[in-house]
Amino acid sequence: MRILLVEDDALLAKATARGLDHANFVVDIATTAEQAYHFLASYDYQFILLDLGLPDRNGLEVLKSLRRKRIK
């Protein structure tokens, strides 16, 4: 399963990704909403772990945007 981890705290992202990797997940890490959108345009993810406090956009705004795109 491929997971997108969107987290701007480098230590937290690394530790979370390491744990998911040990559980045999493939993890891509985005540190900004812009990077997350880039990853989402390039890959299909089964799960997104999304930080709400991103430096360039509120995580809830990102989630709303993703939901609008899925509905259409």
Side-chain angles (χ1 to χ4, degrees):
M1 178 184 289
R2 189 175 199 121
I3 296 175
L4 177 60
L5 172 59
V6 187
E7 173 58 62
D8 62 321
D9 182 307
L11 291 176
L12 182 56
K14 186 176 180 180
T16 303
R18 189 177 318 124
L20 291 168
D21 183 58
H22 285 291
N24 295 318
F25 293 102
V26 175
V27 182
D28 293 322
I29 300 173
T31 59
T32 65
E34 192 65 35
Q35 285 180 342
Y37 287 129
H38 175 75
F39 276 114
L40 289 163
S42 302
Y43 302 102
D44 289 323
Y45 292 96
Q46 289 75 39
F47 189 82
I48 301 170
L49 188 57
L50 179 63
D51 182 5
L52 296 181
L54 298 170
D56 60 340
R57 187 167 297 148
N58 182 294
L60 289 176
E61 291 176 23
V62 174
L63 179 60
K64 288 177 187 177
S65 171
L66 294 174
R67 286 182 173 169
R68 280 193 299 271
K69 289 179 183 180
R70 284 237 188 251
I71 292 172
K72 293 181 180 180

